[in-house]
Each structure stands twice: as structure tokens, then as C-alpha cells.
Amino acid sequence: MLYAVGVVDDDLYPPERLGTGQRAAAAAGLDALLVTPGADLRYLTGYQAKAGERLTCLVLPATGEPTLIVPRLERPAAESSPAPRTGVRIVDHADGSDPYPLVAAALGGGLRAVGLSNRTWAEQVLGLRAALPGVAQRLAGDVLRGLRMRKSPAEVAALREAGTAIDAVHARMPEWLAPGRTERQVGADIATGIQAAGNAFTAFVTVAAGPNGASPHHTTSDRVIERGDPVVVDIGGVMPSGYCSDSTRTYVVGGPPPVELAEAYQVLERAQREAVGAVAPGVPAGAVDAVARDLLTTAGYGPAFLHRIGHGIGLDGHEDPYLVTGSRQALEPGMVFSVEPGVYLAGRYGARIEDIVVCTDDGAERLNRRPTELLAW
Ligand code: ZN
Ligand code: ZN
């Protein structure tokens, strides 16, 4: 199903999630969570707030009434957001007034430790510290990551929808990708295509042709795509549901691929397939990385696979669990993450295959379903 902007599904953002957050905070020995705009706030309340210099902060005590502190000019947005249906009390502050005492007032005294959302701006961290003297500040992420990385069926459905939408954009690549065009021109078309596919906005577009493909986080440039260039296309959007997509394919346009790259790609495709095949409940995240890394290393491409194999995805494009060498985080049904081995040959070209998968009771389900072979036209 499609989630229209402003319409919130109670399955996706259950109103009782605030209570779940409170219990998790209490279990972690925190007196409260202080959550500023971002994925944590949306996860807990459904409210997609603007991050800015004016303080917006969900004050979620381990027990007692939650309060959402917002700038006065954001009050209408907060009231029309899904947040009120969670039972949260909304308190506003006017420009020129100090909002931090409102946080202290919402909490009362006797506090020992609070958890701050991990990406709270430093100026607000310090403002909260001054308003709550002697209270230890810890990371709310230590409490919330355990909730957020175990996706509900509604969240998995939203991620499946996001995956289908980004697959539809990859399917249109022959319309846009051609020798003689610049990466930037192709990227602009892709960005428009991402929105046309139902996303609320484009999160990122990488079009990395020839040697630029050896830089995993290249975006676009004025490089003209040449005949036979391998082109790494890594794209992602954010759906109206708030959930993200992220998928990479490598294409060759206008001529046969370089032999060296075609050989590497055979190993890469096998590495990605076997890594996806290794996903199952109880398997350590690091073991999935190892499956691909061992294959690539045996074939001589170990140093060329220069990043972890994957990352969790949800309301953030990158979130727990991280599938990185040595991680003992056991995979569980409902965890959703990328499996994206790559080979990067500096100064020449690169290739990556990236699919989002969900760990199921007996393995992995791919949420991206485009062909994984080196596609040429
Ligand atoms: Zn990606
Ligand atoms: Zn990714």
C-alpha cells in the first residue's frame, strides 16, 4: 500500500510506541529520553520535525507524562502531525524566550541520567546540560537502536514498498544512461525519476563512470560517460512513509566491459549471492561480511573491497545493525539491511551490487529484485 503524505498508519507508527520507549529507558537505568528532530523522534511519535536552531525536544520520562517542546511557530505542524494521538502534551516557546527550563520543568527533580538522541546538535546538548546540572548525559541510541533495528511487519512492508519503488528507477536506466552524457545530466534525470516513482524526496544519487567508480561515495561530476565505461549507479529515496531505499547496480554502456572488470564482476556477483544466502537468524552480522570478503580475498580482490558489506536501513538510510568485520550482533527476523560488496580498482573503475534484504525466520528475503548481472547496452 502507498502512504500518502500526512496520513499515518497506526500499524507503522503505533501510538503505544512511546510507552515502549519509556520501558526501554527505565530498563537501561535512564530517567528520561530527550529526543530532538530526526529518525528517533519520528519513530517514537510519527512527527517529522524540522531540525533547526530553535529547540524541538520530546521529553520522555521513564515514568510519567511525555511532553513535546516545540517552537511556537511549529505548534500547528506538531498539532497536525501524528504526535498528539500518542497522548503527548505539547508545550511551546516563543522566540526570545529560553526553552531549556521547559525541559527541566517537564522532568522535575531527582534525576541521575538522561539519554539524548545521538544526532542532537552540540549547542542543544550543552543547553540541556546547563538546564539539568549534575545529570549524566548518555546516548538514547543505546536504548532505541534495539527497538529500531527489529522492524515490525508494517515497517518491513514499508521498506518493501521503498525497495520496489527504487527498483522501478533502476529499470529506467537505459532511458538515461548513454555515452556522451555527463554523470550530472544522468543524475538529474535519475533524481526526477526517484520522485516520479513515489518517493517523497531523493536521498542521494551516485553516478560514477570509469575511474570515478573506484570511489564508493562519489556522487556525480561533469565527467562525460565514454563508450565501454562501467558506471556504478547507487540511488536512494525516502518514501512518504518515512522509510528509505538504497540500491546499487553497475552498468556498461556503448561497448563491452573491460575484461579485467568483467572478471572481477563474476566474483563480486557470487560474493553478493552467497552473502545473501548466509543471512539467517542467529548468524553474526560479521559472518555475512566474512562470506563475501573471503571469496573476494581468495580471488585477489581483498584490498579492493574497502568497506563493510552492509548497514541497517529504516527511517535512516544508515542505521543498526552494521554488518562489519568482527560484529557479533546476531541477526534476527525483522532486521533489514544492505548486502553490498564492491570491488574498487583505483584509477580504473569499480563495481558494486547492493540489495536490501530482510532477515526472515529461515533466511533472507530480497527487497530489491533487479537482476544482479553486469547489465550492458
Ligand atoms: Zn547504496
Ligand atoms: Zn548502502
Side-chain angles (χ1 to χ4, degrees):
M1 73 190 283
L2 281 167
Y3 296 97
V5 177
V7 174
V8 166
D9 189 295
D10 276 352
D11 289 338
L12 195 58
Y13 293 101
E16 63 272 20
R17 205 175 256 160
L18 277 187
T20 308
Q22 288 181 299
R23 286 190 293 279
L30 295 176
D31 297 307
L33 301 180
L34 305 178
V35 183
T36 53
D40 286 338
L41 182 60
R42 189 157 192 191
Y43 179 79
L44 289 167
T45 67
Y47 180 32
Q48 185 181 21
K50 293 186 190 74
E53 73 285 5
R54 297 179 174 99
L55 182 70
T56 293
C57 183
L58 170 68
V59 180
L60 186 64
T63 56
E65 187 185 24
T67 304
L68 181 59
I69 294 167
V70 299
R72 186 157 296 165
L73 78 172
E74 299 290 353
R75 185 171 191 121
E79 285 180 339
S80 63
S81 85
R85 81 205 207 298
T86 65
V88 71
R89 179 176 65 110
I90 297 176
V91 172
D92 65 42
H93 56 91
D95 282 354
S97 67
D98 181 359
Y100 294 97
L102 297 176
V103 177
L107 285 171
L111 305 178
R112 298 172 58 90
V114 294
L116 274 52
S117 46
N118 290 30
R119 295 173 190 179
T120 299
W121 291 11
E123 62 193 33
Q124 297 175 343
V125 173
L126 297 183
L128 292 166
R129 180 177 297 174
L132 300 169
V135 179
Q137 292 182 327
R138 286 162 44 190
L139 290 176
D142 292 345
V143 172
L144 295 175
R145 80 162 54 90
L147 303 178
R148 283 181 48 194
M149 74 179 169
R150 297 174 174 93
K151 266 69 176 178
S152 68
E155 290 183 279
V156 173
L159 285 158
R160 189 179 288 117
E161 179 189 74
T164 301
I166 210 70
D167 281 357
V169 181
H170 269 297
R172 293 183 62 188
M173 221 50 71
E175 293 177 38
W176 304 317
L177 206 51
R181 303 196 76 202
T182 68
E183 293 173 351
R184 207 182 303 284
Q185 287 168 335
V186 174
D189 286 341
I190 292 172
T192 303
I194 288 173
Q195 305 223 16
N199 285 276
F201 57 90
T202 299
F204 61 88
V205 175
T206 290
V207 180
N212 291 337
S215 172
H217 276 178
H218 178 78
T219 52
T220 61
S221 77
D222 288 322
R223 185 181 198 281
V224 176
I225 297 166
E226 296 172 10
R227 291 190 176 278
D229 263 354
V231 186
V232 178
V233 177
D234 186 357
I235 54 178
V238 181
M239 296 294 280
S241 65
Y243 283 79
C244 298
S245 59
D246 183 1
S247 179
T248 309
R249 288 294 183 269
T250 303
Y251 303 98
V252 181
V253 291
V259 172
E260 182 187 36
L261 181 93
E263 287 174 0
Y265 198 92
Q266 296 298 316
V267 186
L268 182 67
E269 193 179 13
R270 183 176 164 209
Q272 205 257 1
R273 185 172 60 245
E274 295 198 7
V276 171
V279 171
V283 171
V288 178
D289 181 280
V291 166
R293 199 166 303 279
D294 289 352
L295 264 170
L296 285 161
T297 300
T298 300
Y301 300 109
F305 176 23
L306 47 79
H307 54 70
R308 67 190 175 214
I309 199 169
H311 55 82
I313 186 169
L315 290 168
D316 274 324
H318 287 191
E319 59 181 51
D320 286 284
Y322 293 100
L323 283 74
V324 61
T325 300
S327 171
R328 295 182 186 170
Q329 171 69 55
L331 300 178
E332 297 175 31
M335 288 185 178
V336 180
F337 44 85
S338 67
V339 177
E340 51 175 309
V343 169
Y344 308 97
L345 304 170
R348 305 206 290 284
Y349 24 65
R352 181 164 65 256
I353 305 168
E354 177 178 23
D355 288 318
I356 304 301
V357 306
V358 54
C359 182
T360 64
D361 288 337
D362 53 4
E365 174 196 340
R366 286 180 194 258
L367 302 187
N368 298 110
R369 295 175 173 276
R370 294 288 303 155
T372 56
E373 67 249 36
L374 192 58
L375 292 176
W377 56 84

